[in-house]
Amino acid sequence: MPPPRLIVGLGNPGGQYEDNRHNVGFWFVDQLAARLQAPLTAQGKFLGRVARRGELWLLQPMTYMNLSGQAVAALARFYKIAADETLVVHDDLDLEPGSIRLKQGGGNGGHNGLKDIQARLATADFWRLRLGIGHPGERAEVVSYVLKAPRREEQELIDRALDRCLLAWPDLAAGDYAAAQRQLHVKTVSP
């Protein structure tokens, strides 16, 4: 597999959303940018906060979750980055807090950010790093649930998952997705 050239962290811009479950993709990109010493800066042309390290781009769309594809498509088209060179990091209701799944392609699971990216790239063949946030139990509660901060014990599990993702970064950066999956797809242990 080709190594990723674009890492997209999904979330919503603005201080009121900063600690929300829906922003775990932003949290990962913030931590990766710090690790790579690649500061994120606003770039209107790409509708987001962007950092570059060699051939690698980091992106936090500032379009709000439901329009994430606008920013992804703008950067990917400008730099001719293929879908299989793109890794989208996002929250996942179907996974328990602390669980991680890495896969290429597939459905969007009702995630509006993924829906928009699929529509604007005209493919679902990008990679996804799915970070579990758990489910509120009732479909009607999903919107308010993702727009709230995790409980303390959930936050600890999510933080550990983010640490595991950073530990797997060398394999991800090399395009060795199978090795990254072996590191990431482990059973979570409660704090």
Side-chain angles (χ1 to χ4, degrees):
M1 286 286 161
R5 292 179 55 211
L6 173 58
I7 309 296
V8 181
L10 297 187
N12 285 309
Q16 73 270 36
Y17 298 108
E18 210 170 295
D19 65 351
N20 295 177
R21 292 176 176 98
H22 224 14
N23 275 34
V24 297
F26 274 17
W27 302 346
F28 175 76
V29 167
D30 282 336
Q31 291 180 24
L32 183 59
R35 180 180 177 151
L36 298 176
Q37 297 177 338
L40 292 155
T41 57
Q43 290 200 18
K45 174 169 143 179
F46 299 127
L47 308 168
R49 295 179 68 223
V50 177
R52 184 175 187 181
R53 183 69 184 245
E55 290 297 307
L56 178 69
W57 289 90
L58 305 180
L59 171 65
Q60 290 175 330
M62 292 289 122
T63 53
Y64 290 94
M65 184 66 77
N66 296 357
L67 299 175
S68 297
Q70 288 180 348
V72 176
L75 198 148
R77 288 192 180 114
F78 189 84
Y79 289 106
K80 297 177 176 45
I81 298 172
D84 67 350
E85 297 173 314
T86 302
L87 174 65
V88 177
V89 185
H90 64 91
D91 60 302
D92 195 307
L93 288 161
D94 295 330
L95 297 175
E96 289 301 312
S99 295
I100 308 165
R101 289 292 172 267
L102 174 66
K103 70 173 197 164
Q104 184 180 22
N108 56 50
H111 193 291
N112 290 327
L114 292 179
K115 272 187 208 172
D116 195 58
I117 293 169
Q118 288 173 344
R120 292 177 192 271
L121 294 182
T123 183
D125 289 341
F126 51 89
W127 284 87
R128 300 103 187 276
L129 185 57
R130 303 164 51 208
L131 299 171
I133 61 167
H135 195 285
E138 296 291 327
R139 185 183 182 110
E141 295 174 22
V142 165
V143 172
S144 65
Y145 179 79
V146 299
L147 295 177
K148 285 187 181 137
R151 295 189 318 268
R152 184 186 55 78
E153 62 274 14
E154 294 171 339
Q155 187 68 57
E156 288 174 13
L157 291 167
I158 292 168
D159 288 343
R160 283 198 223 155
L162 291 167
D163 290 344
R164 288 205 333 265
C165 291
L166 290 173
L167 286 173
W169 172 247
D171 289 327
L172 288 170
D176 191 346
Y177 291 99
Q181 286 169 326
R182 285 191 294 277
Q183 283 190 66
L184 296 172
H185 295 185
V186 296
K187 182 85 172 125
T188 57
V189 180
S190 295

